[in-house]
Amino acid sequence: MAEAQLFVSQDEFTCSLCLDTLTDPVTIPCGHNFCLKCLSNCWDQSQVCSCPQCRHTFTTRPELNRNTLLNEVTKKLKKMTLSSPPPQNYAGPGDVECDFCTGKKFRAVKSCLTCMASYCQTHLQPHYEVATLKHHNLVDTDRNLKEKLCEKHQKSLEIFCKTDDSCICMMCVVTGHKIMKCQLETEREEKQVSDV
């Protein structure tokens, strides 16, 4: 029988307080996980017991018990990362980094010209699943993505102006790019001359 493979990212087992792999993980009633020490320190310094992630407030301080299953998973994950060479997913010199990874950045696999951002495989997934994102323009990773934005409108440069010999965005056209008007006037005159 074939054994199923499970692909998980180390980011999925990261404490949002210390931004490191969970140590002695605890799960609080709202479902979020933290390191026992991090959450205890957070609550010791606050008058209110609330989830540092979703801000759900608890009337009484919940008893914190180590999540044994999650603890075993994080121990195995730590062993794997120590015994294996650094994964090829992490961005190295010359790679385009994912704009949405926190902590150590993964290598981007695609750039979105609609969002003007680059995504690793994990963060790109919504572009394949969410209806509104499916229509976005995905391209191979591009380290010069920000240079493809109009400085004035922060929109993608989609139109080339021959007269100006530069790229402009749709907002430039809508707001009356003067060079564009000149170009259209010239083309109209050329058309009239050729028709005579």
Side-chain angles (χ1 to χ4, degrees), residues 174-190:
V174 171
T175 58
H177 182 72
K178 64 179 188 234
I179 303 303
M180 204 59 176
K181 287 180 182 174
C182 295
Q183 182 178 339
L184 292 173
E185 183 66 26
T186 305
E187 288 178 7
R188 183 187 58 79
E189 288 171 5
E190 289 173 4

Side-chain angles (χ1 to χ4, degrees), residues 59-70:
T59 51
T60 58
R61 183 171 175 162
E63 182 181 340
L64 300 177
N65 295 310
R66 186 169 66 190
N67 182 326
T68 53
L69 177 63
L70 193 53

Side-chain angles (χ1 to χ4, degrees), residues 2-181:
E3 188 176 306
Q5 287 187 325
L6 177 63
F7 294 101
V8 292
S9 162
Q10 192 165 352
D11 287 349
E12 295 175 58
F13 299 99
T14 300
C15 172
S16 63
L17 294 172
C18 68
L19 302 177
D20 203 357
T21 305
L22 291 164
T23 304
D24 291 329
V26 292
T27 305
I28 56 177
C30 62
H32 291 111
N33 301 299
F34 303 93
C35 298
L36 174 62
K37 186 177 177 182
C38 295
L39 188 60
S40 294
N41 289 342
C42 178
W43 283 354
D44 288 344
Q45 296 173 9
S46 176
Q47 306 240 337
V48 178
C49 276
S50 65
C51 173
Q53 203 159 341
C54 71
R55 303 288 182 229
H56 178 84
T57 305
F58 306 102
T59 51
T60 58
R61 183 171 175 162
E63 182 181 340
L64 300 177
N65 295 310
R66 186 169 66 190
N67 182 326
T68 53
L69 177 63
L70 193 53
N71 190 48
E72 290 303 313
V73 170
T74 56
K75 278 183 182 177
K76 288 179 182 176
L77 185 64
K78 285 178 184 179
K79 275 185 189 175
M80 282 177 23
T81 54
L82 290 175
S83 64
S84 62
Q88 296 301 308
N89 292 0
Y90 286 118
D95 288 332
V96 177
E97 293 181 342
C98 174
D99 291 317
F100 288 85
C101 284
T102 57
K104 195 164 183 180
K105 302 271 190 178
F106 281 110
R107 181 185 323 128
V109 294
K110 289 284 182 187
S111 294
C112 177
L113 296 179
T114 310
C115 300
M116 295 309 287
S118 297
Y119 299 91
C120 67
Q121 192 62 52
T122 303
H123 290 115
L124 180 66
Q125 207 56 38
H127 276 78
Y128 296 123
E129 296 169 356
V130 178
T132 54
L133 298 176
K134 285 181 180 180
H135 303 292
H136 284 195
N137 189 4
L138 296 175
V139 296
D140 289 334
T141 55
D142 188 347
R143 84 173 41 266
N144 301 321
L145 206 54
K146 302 302 179 215
E147 293 172 14
K148 293 182 167 88
L149 282 179
C150 172
E151 290 179 15
K152 186 175 181 182
H153 302 109
Q154 295 301 303
K155 301 281 184 194
S156 66
L157 301 170
E158 300 174 23
I159 300 169
F160 182 77
C161 175
K162 290 180 190 175
T163 310
D164 223 8
D165 195 32
S166 66
C167 293
I168 58 175
C169 73
M170 288 301 290
M171 283 302 295
C172 287
V173 175
V174 171
T175 58
H177 182 72
K178 64 179 188 234
I179 303 303
M180 204 59 176
K181 287 180 182 174

